[in-house]
Amino acid sequence: AQTVTQSQPEMSVQEAETVTLSCTYDTSESDYYLFWYKQPPSRQMILVIRQEAYKQQNATENRFSVNFQKAAKSFSLKISDSQLGDAAMYFCAYRRAGTASKLTFGTGTRLQVTL
Amino acid sequence: NAGVTQTPKFRILKIGQSMTLQCTQDMNHNYMYWYRQDPGMGLKLIYYSVGAGITDKGEVPNGYNVSRSTTEDFPLRLELAAPSQTSVYFCASSYGSSNTEAFFGQGTRLTVV
């Protein structure tokens, strides 16, 4: 079974600084997808960024980028120029390729953004 | 475009009561999912469906039932509520391909007392 591990329950970053959230996963599959979801206090789950395992290039979305290390099964999220609105729970998720594929989530990292 | 709509947003149940959490999506997605989120934990899959008439168990199905009579609706039924079912429940849907985004409802906070 696939597992996703987020070893940082809480992180803190100053506004305008950069922070990296860690995620590791365990799978025997070679074709899969990885996601970072943001959950603000409103509880809404918002997709931040996705990465296809077959792509070597790291995904980027504006201030958000990932460091995908397939051999190490590591998928970290870097937030640059942090803003107060980035404060939220961040979940790493895994989904194998194919039909009936399901998202497996990590336990989350709570990010605080300070002035 | 409403996306994924869950009702109710909050509910308090007494031990032994039953209820149905409603979920509907208007994006014509094939796949729908029910997750629960316990404090300090990630989301755990309860049940999922790959299309109307097809459902399957996830990681934590005990104490729950689902049905999928239409593409749009995927209700979750709790029979004989127990305190261990106190949680936040999320319904989600996706088009079907593995790399497509899963869209989530806003969640239902359920307390069993």
Side-chain angles (χ1 to χ4, degrees):
Chain A
Q2 294 83 14
T3 58
V4 178
T5 302
Q6 293 179 250
S7 59
Q8 305 156 315
E10 289 191 11
M11 292 285 285
S12 183
V13 62
Q14 282 192 319
E15 201 176 15
E17 296 297 309
T18 296
V19 65
T20 298
L21 308 184
S22 301
C23 173
T24 59
Y25 58 94
D26 185 24
T27 183
S28 58
E29 305 286 338
S30 59
D31 196 10
Y32 52 87
Y33 302 87
L34 297 163
F35 305 83
W36 278 99
Y37 278 87
K38 172 185 177 181
Q39 186 182 43
S42 66
R43 288 205 311 249
Q44 184 68 48
M45 294 288 284
I46 303 164
L47 179 66
V48 175
I49 199 165
R50 86 188 84 195
Q51 174 78 45
E52 293 87 346
Y54 62 84
K55 288 188 178 179
Q56 291 187 329
Q57 187 172 7
N58 289 325
T60 62
E61 287 287 344
N62 300 314
R63 297 183 295 107
F64 299 88
S65 62
V66 299
N67 183 5
F68 172 51
Q69 302 288 329
K70 190 171 184 179
K73 296 180 182 175
S74 170
F75 182 60
S76 60
L77 174 70
K78 186 171 85 170
I79 306 174
S80 304
D81 186 26
S82 297
Q83 301 175 359
L84 293 177
D86 295 334
M89 281 289 287
Y90 285 83
F91 291 98
C92 179
Y94 163 98
R95 190 177 193 181
R96 70 169 174 82
T99 58
S101 58
K102 307 166 286 290
L103 278 169
T104 300
F105 287 87
T107 52
T109 296
R110 182 174 301 282
L111 178 66
Q112 292 183 322
V113 181
T114 58
L115 294 171
Chain B
N1 193 344
V4 180
T5 303
Q6 285 183 241
T7 56
K9 288 187 171 51
F10 302 92
R11 182 71 186 267
I12 298 175
L13 275 184
K14 292 184 179 178
I15 295 171
Q17 286 186 322
S18 301
M19 76 163 295
T20 299
L21 280 65
Q22 301 292 344
C23 176
T24 187
Q25 53 92 8
D26 61 0
M27 297 172 283
N28 201 32
H29 284 169
N30 295 324
Y31 289 16
M32 295 188 75
Y33 313 84
W34 275 106
Y35 289 90
R36 60 177 286 173
Q37 183 181 21
D38 299 327
M41 304 294 287
L43 281 70
K44 293 190 176 181
L45 184 65
I46 305 172
Y47 270 95
Y48 67 101
S49 168
V50 301
I54 306 170
T55 62
D56 207 347
K57 296 178 180 179
E59 190 181 351
V60 289
N62 291 344
Y64 307 94
N65 273 302
V66 294
S67 60
R68 185 93 182 272
S69 56
T70 66
T71 300
E72 295 78 18
D73 300 308
F74 190 42
L76 177 72
R77 177 84 177 161
L78 279 73
E79 303 282 2
L80 298 174
S84 61
Q85 293 178 304
T86 294
S87 189
V88 178
Y89 292 83
F90 286 95
C91 179
S93 73
S94 67
Y95 182 69
S97 300
S98 310
N99 67 337
T100 56
E101 177 181 355
F103 291 83
F104 286 79
Q106 289 208 300
T108 296
R109 181 176 294 279
L110 175 68
T111 303
V112 181
V113 297

